Amino acid sequence: MMKDDRAVGWCLENLPRLPHAITHVFKYLNAAKSRTCEIESALVRFLSSSRSASYPLIEQRILRYFIAMDVKDERVKEAAWSILGDRNRDDYAREFAARYIGQHASIAEAQMLRHRFEGETSGAIRRAELVALYEAGYLTTRYRNEIKASLSGMEWRVRCGVADRDDAMNQEGAVRRDRTALRGELL
């Protein structure tokens, strides 16, 4: 537990001035559990402000923070839709916006994600929207098969990125068990 959270206010006020240290700032903010409400409120205000567009790395870190903390907030979702819809923004901020939306999407929003996926030109954003559809529970086997059949270059994304995630996790567990058994034999 962190004993000194005096710099939380300063960090929040100076986010745009700290892009070089943003990873450390968010580790510090994440450790300041006693000030979570204040932190979340300030981050929502920043993300909802017009000035956040000038700081895509900070937008990305804020969205990562909300995803990791599993914070469901309509203002954050609204800001995430705005970020995702702005093709002039950097892809890395848009990718996390899609992921946030996917985690907290209603059925109607999942349908909007699907529509966005079908019209998106950026491969990175399409992948993020595909993952968001999966996280929203809106990526059916039928739709995955349609994507594989109709969109060249998406086959591996559907296969490796989303569709067989559970199989990959099961295979990884089996590999881990095999390595442990082999290690036991070698010792």
Side-chain angles (χ1 to χ4, degrees), residues 81-102:
W81 276 112
S82 176
I83 292 166
L84 181 60
D86 186 351
R87 293 184 182 200
N88 291 321
R89 283 201 168 120
D90 289 319
D91 280 355
Y92 52 86
R94 294 179 66 214
E95 288 175 54
F96 279 89
R99 174 99 192 272
Y100 182 85
I101 293 165

Side-chain angles (χ1 to χ4, degrees), residues 112-124:
M112 288 174 23
L113 273 171
R114 181 175 171 169
H115 179 71
R116 287 199 53 76
F117 168 78
E118 292 170 355
E120 184 58 56
T121 57
S122 166

Side-chain angles (χ1 to χ4, degrees), residues 88-187:
N88 291 321
R89 283 201 168 120
D90 289 319
D91 280 355
Y92 52 86
R94 294 179 66 214
E95 288 175 54
F96 279 89
R99 174 99 192 272
Y100 182 85
I101 293 165
Q103 274 192 343
H104 304 290
S106 66
I107 292 173
E109 289 167 329
Q111 290 173 342
M112 288 174 23
L113 273 171
R114 181 175 171 169
H115 179 71
R116 287 199 53 76
F117 168 78
E118 292 170 355
E120 184 58 56
T121 57
S122 166
I125 302 304
R126 288 191 99 182
R127 182 198 56 79
E129 290 169 342
L130 194 63
V131 171
L133 285 168
Y134 177 81
E135 291 179 335
Y138 201 72
L139 188 61
T140 63
T141 302
R142 180 179 172 197
Y143 188 53
R144 287 194 308 255
N145 290 336
E146 286 176 21
I147 293 168
K148 283 183 199 178
S150 65
L151 299 173
S152 64
M154 289 301 287
E155 303 89 1
W156 67 270
R157 288 184 176 126
V158 172
R159 171 105 176 97
C160 299
V162 175
D164 293 325
R165 177 190 271 175
D166 296 334
D167 289 342
M169 290 171 71
N170 289 336
Q171 288 173 356
E172 185 178 311
V175 168
R176 233 184 265 127
R177 285 190 299 279
D178 291 344
R179 285 184 189 151
T180 303
L182 181 60
R183 224 179 277 130
E185 289 173 10
L186 293 174
L187 295 175

Side-chain angles (χ1 to χ4, degrees), residues 9 16 24 35 43 55 64 78 83 100 102 104 132 138 145 161:
H24 300 293
R35 312 256 314 257
L43 294 178
Y55 304 99
R64 284 179 67 178
E78 185 178 319
I83 292 166
Y100 182 85
H104 304 290
Y138 201 72
N145 290 336

